[in-house]
Amino acid sequence: MQRLYPLPAGPTTAAESYGVARPSGPQGRPWIATCMISSIDGSTVLAGVSGGLSSSADRDVLLTLRLIADMVIVGAGTVRSESYGKPTKAGQRIGVVSNTGNVDTSTSLFTSGAGFLILPENAPPTSVESVRAGIDEVDLAAAVRALPGRPRFVHAEGGPSLNGTLASADLIDEINLTTSPQVIGGSGPRLMSNAPDLMQPFRLVHLLEDNGFIFSRYVRQSTGIA
Ligand SMILES: NC(=O)c1ccc[n+]([C@@H]2O[C@H](COP(=O)([O-])OP(=O)(O)OC[C@H]3O[C@@H](n4cnc5c(N)ncnc54)[C@H](OP(=O)(O)O)[C@@H]3O)[C@@H](O)[C@H]2O)c1
């Protein structure tokens, strides 16, 4: 993996470039980072999943971010399509955001005790540990303040619908974007779906390259964090 920016350019690793300390998020909430991969033409899926866009270096970046994160949150749509299992980091919790609770809780994600649900207050009762915020749909700003164990660094793993709602609530502090050197075509979603018009400036922190894949890391400018 090569660092292209900041200069000087030179070899780096996912651990060196992504394993940096994060501050607390604004107003005492956790720092929230997303990690997504997109094709050159902006699709985040190939045949309904992201795996066909990825590479070993991309998986390394994702694993590095998971390892340093205190907690993972992910949309129910991604859990349903990407077969989420239990995390490799012992003790890590994964919060699954759902408005309906329509998630298979018999998978190892939940039977291991790692998974919990993030639901609206009026979602149907469930035997799985739940954080509840909002009526009819999850109020993410309230939910992230109520996460168990008060995590400092939350890794948000998509998908596009969850990203769109997080961005709409100005809850994304960092975007880690891998650009896969492929044109996919089709009508796959962009990084964020269903967000209203937003004008949120982000600052480029680094740009890496490996085997034609480009790895960019952006931080929300209003956080004032380097
Ligand atoms: N390229 C990548 O890096 C990447 C990363 C992740 C996912 N993906 C792909 O993205 C696709 C899934 O994305 P998606 O957009 O359909 O689903 P998603 O964002 O993973 O999940 C959306 C679901 O989250 C729940 N939800 C609850 N509150 C919400 C809120 N306030 N805002 C948004 N969602 C809320 C709803 O679940 P309920 O329906 O249960 O109520 C909603 O249907 C899959 O094809 C996956 O492979 C790609």
Side-chain angles (χ1 to χ4, degrees), residues 35-39 43-51 53 58 74-82 84 96-103 118-120 136-140 157-166 176 178 189-194:
C35 179
M36 295 287 287
I37 187 165
S38 156
S39 64
S43 180
T44 56
V45 296
L46 176 58
V49 288
S50 59
L53 296 168
D58 176 60
V74 61
T78 297
V79 168
R80 288 191 284 261
S81 58
E82 301 261 359
Y84 262 62
V96 180
V97 183
S98 171
N99 289 327
T100 60
N102 179 20
V103 177
I118 301 173
L119 298 168
D136 295 335
E137 61 180 44
V138 175
D139 176 341
L140 286 166
E157 300 194 349
S161 305
L162 180 60
N163 290 345
T165 316
L166 286 169
N176 296 297
T178 301
R190 297 158 47 194
L191 294 191
M192 294 177 193
S193 302
N194 306 320

Side-chain angles (χ1 to χ4, degrees), residues 6-222:
L7 297 172
T12 187
T13 62
E16 180 186 56
S17 290
Y18 290 89
V20 296
R22 269 80 176 174
S24 298
Q27 287 129 30
R29 66 161 172 78
W31 180 266
I32 302 176
T34 67
C35 179
M36 295 287 287
I37 187 165
S38 156
S39 64
I40 296 170
D41 54 328
S43 180
T44 56
V45 296
L46 176 58
V49 288
S50 59
L53 296 168
S54 188
S55 70
S56 59
D58 176 60
R59 287 186 286 278
D60 207 12
V61 167
L62 181 63
L63 288 176
T64 299
L65 288 164
R66 278 184 184 167
L67 273 179
I68 60 171
D70 298 320
M71 181 173 285
V72 169
I73 61 171
V74 61
T78 297
V79 168
R80 288 191 284 261
S81 58
E82 301 261 359
S83 314
Y84 262 62
K86 66 176 183 180
T88 48
K89 179 179 173 181
Q92 189 167 56
R93 306 295 312 275
I94 300 184
V96 180
V97 183
S98 171
N99 289 327
T100 60
N102 179 20
V103 177
D104 181 1
T105 56
S106 68
T107 62
S108 65
L109 171 60
F110 292 99
T111 57
S112 66
F116 67 96
L117 291 170
I118 301 173
L119 298 168
E121 287 173 34
N122 57 336
T126 170
S127 57
V128 173
E129 179 187 344
S130 310
V131 168
R132 290 180 181 258
I135 301 294
D136 295 335
E137 61 180 44
V138 175
D139 176 341
L140 286 166
V144 295
R145 292 175 188 282
L147 291 171
R150 301 183 64 81
R152 275 175 49 89
F153 177 29
V154 171
H155 192 229
E157 300 194 349
S161 305
L162 180 60
N163 290 345
T165 316
L166 286 169
S168 304
D170 204 359
L171 290 170
I172 298 181
D173 304 305
E174 172 180 340
I175 297 174
N176 296 297
L177 170 63
T178 301
T179 305
S180 177
Q182 307 182 60
V183 169
I184 297 302
S187 53
R190 297 158 47 194
L191 294 191
M192 294 177 193
S193 302
N194 306 320
D197 290 347
L198 299 170
M199 291 285 285
Q200 297 176 350
F202 280 75
R203 195 174 69 74
L204 180 66
V205 176
H206 77 215
L207 198 59
L208 317 179
E209 188 275 342
D210 180 86
N211 208 21
F213 287 72
I214 296 290
F215 300 84
S216 39
R217 178 170 179 251
Y218 298 91
V219 165
R220 183 82 165 87
Q221 264 188 3
S222 61

